[in-house]
Amino acid sequence: MNIRKLTESDYEVLEAWWKAWKWPPIEKDFLPDNGTGGFVIEKQGTMIVAGFVYITNSKAVLLEWIISNPEYREDDRDMAITCLISTIEKIIKEWGYKYIFSIGRTKALIDKHKDLGYHVDDTPSHEITKILN
């Protein structure tokens, strides 16, 4: 498995993944760097899992919109998710950031974060978004 930065051409793939998982696709202009501000884990040229990194003007980053390939059927999907999160942790630490924050509702992804030492608040919260025109 290897990790690489997302490219412009990856967006169409991720858009199809969101649709397959019954999520509304995230608009490119809502994503960091217009859809290229993140990383993807690949194995033998097959994209497995991706996530986006929002850089802030503090010592914190937001790791968000983690999505996996719904057609990937290998046993190492879980390892790919772990690899994505832990490698992004190392990268942002090298960039000088101290905190990483994520929002999630998928039990498996929440459990993965717990396994990696993240604090998970037991009180449910809601994402609150408004499009400003």
Side-chain angles (χ1 to χ4, degrees):
M1 287 190 197
N2 68 302
I3 190 167
R4 67 167 173 81
K5 288 274 291 162
L6 288 168
T7 65
E8 181 105 10
S9 62
D10 293 327
Y11 181 79
E12 287 182 24
V13 174
L14 301 179
E15 188 176 39
W17 290 1
W18 281 312
K19 289 177 182 177
W21 285 114
K22 309 286 190 243
W23 292 3
I26 310 305
E27 295 293 329
K28 286 173 81 171
D29 61 358
F30 192 79
L31 297 168
D33 296 329
N34 206 38
T36 62
F39 297 90
V40 62
I41 297 292
E42 292 181 317
K43 181 179 177 184
Q44 299 173 344
T46 298
M47 293 172 57
I48 303 170
V49 63
F52 292 89
V53 177
Y54 290 83
I55 302 297
T56 72
N57 61 355
S58 68
K59 288 289 184 182
V61 302
L62 178 65
L63 172 58
E64 205 29 86
W65 308 117
I66 294 175
I67 184 78
S68 66
N69 181 343
E71 296 178 4
Y72 188 77
R73 299 291 179 222
E74 302 296 322
D75 291 338
D76 53 5
R77 177 196 306 262
D78 190 58
M79 184 173 66
I81 295 169
T82 299
C83 183
L84 177 76
I85 296 169
S86 60
T87 304
I88 288 174
E89 287 176 10
K90 291 174 188 167
I91 290 168
I92 66 162
K93 187 173 181 179
E94 289 173 5
W95 291 350
Y97 292 92
K98 184 176 178 182
Y99 307 102
I100 187 167
F101 178 74
S102 191
I103 300 168
R105 69 178 75 140
T106 306
K107 182 176 177 355
L109 195 52
I110 290 169
D111 290 344
K112 176 59 59 191
H113 280 85
K114 285 180 181 178
D115 291 345
L116 290 169
Y118 284 69
H119 167 77
V120 178
D121 190 344
D122 291 331
T123 305
S125 59
H126 300 274
E127 297 85 18
I128 302 170
T129 307
K130 181 178 183 179
I131 298 173
L132 306 173
N133 291 328

